[in-house]
Amino acid sequence: MRAVIAEDSVLLRIGVVKVLEMAGFEVAAEVGDAQALLAAVEEHRPDIAVVDVRMPPGFTDEGVRAALVIRRQWPHTAVLLLSQYVEERYAADLLSAHTSGIGYLLKQRVADVEEFAEALRRVAAGGTALDPQVVSQLLVRRHSDPLDRLTRREREVLELMAGGRSNAGIARELVVGESAVAKHINSIFTKLDLPKADTDHRRVLAALRFLGVA
């Protein structure tokens, strides 16, 4: 799989390149700003773009805006955003527009090479990867929220779903069987009033509701 990297910090960019190569990706381009990122994606059409949230010239939301352009113009290119701090508004903006091929992680996660590489592969394959701190700060609760109906275990399952984990991944994390995970998920759908429908993806809808995005 091919990747492009947009990160203005040279040291971090070198580190991300190494992790990508170790994970089996071919790094097609390394750039330091959003304009160069869009040009690189147009030229190389990579499977994934790893993008810093804040880049030159303004160091505000250049990476997020570029990510939205990428997902709109080149929908087959997944995007993994990296941020120094939790900026939940930016994550919410992305998730409101796209529910697959999206990741948002804190830069400190790059140090855990194996976990970061797994997140890269998951996002490149069309899944999602959300930093646990981002998930925590995206939670929007109301007193009458249907989420209050969930048991502690169902909340744990839903939180892992919102982080992009598969049933097998959830089972490994919670040390339970996949059949137990499937039962919890069916119960979550029922309690969140998400009936089966051909036009809706209940897993995505449940995750978005958990994150307060929908």
Side-chain angles (χ1 to χ4, degrees):
M1 290 188 285
R2 292 159 63 81
V4 298
I5 299 169
E7 167 61 58
D8 62 286
S9 168
V10 176
L11 288 177
L12 181 58
R13 190 162 70 230
I14 291 172
V16 173
V17 169
K18 294 297 183 185
V19 173
L20 280 161
E21 290 176 344
M22 289 172 60
F25 287 85
E26 173 194 348
V27 178
E30 310 167 36
V31 300
D33 61 71
Q35 186 174 355
L37 166 64
L38 295 176
V41 172
E42 182 175 20
E43 178 182 356
H44 299 288
R45 305 297 172 91
D47 298 287
I48 188 170
V50 182
V51 183
D52 185 10
V53 166
R54 300 187 176 210
M55 291 188 291
F59 292 97
T60 55
D61 62 348
E62 289 83 2
V64 177
R65 287 188 280 114
L68 290 169
V69 171
I70 290 169
R71 296 298 288 141
R72 184 173 64 251
Q73 294 191 8
W74 303 286
H76 295 298
T77 296
V79 176
L80 176 61
L81 282 171
L82 294 178
S83 180
Q84 189 69 39
Y85 310 102
V86 176
E87 298 174 279
E88 61 268 25
R89 179 173 65 85
Y90 297 150
D93 287 347
L94 268 181
L95 290 167
S96 295
H98 305 281
T99 56
S100 64
I102 287 291
Y104 190 110
L105 298 177
L106 293 181
K107 291 183 178 181
Q108 66 196 50
R109 305 299 175 191
V110 179
D112 189 332
V113 174
E114 185 175 342
E115 183 176 341
F116 184 62
E118 180 185 350
L120 284 166
R121 296 188 193 100
R122 188 161 69 243
V123 173
T128 58
L130 297 178
D131 196 281
Q133 291 189 40
V134 174
V135 171
S136 296
Q137 293 196 29
L138 278 173
L139 302 183
V140 177
R141 296 288 184 261
R142 293 182 219 166
H143 183 65
S144 60
D145 196 329
L147 292 167
D148 293 336
R149 305 171 190 168
L150 304 183
T151 65
R152 180 183 61 82
R153 177 61 88 186
E154 287 166 352
R155 281 178 172 274
E156 292 173 343
V157 170
L158 184 51
E159 181 174 353
L160 291 168
M161 282 173 56
R165 299 295 182 88
S166 64
N167 283 16
I170 294 171
R172 286 196 301 271
E173 182 73 21
L174 299 180
V175 195
V176 297
E178 287 190 50
S179 60
V181 172
K183 289 179 181 178
H184 286 311
I185 291 174
N186 285 331
S187 178
I188 289 167
F189 292 156
T190 299
K191 291 180 179 180
L192 295 185
D193 302 317
L194 295 171
K196 184 178 294 186
D198 293 337
T199 57
D200 297 321
H201 194 310
R202 293 190 295 171
R203 194 180 186 96
V204 171
L205 291 174
L208 291 176
R209 189 166 297 179
F210 180 73
L211 296 172
V213 176

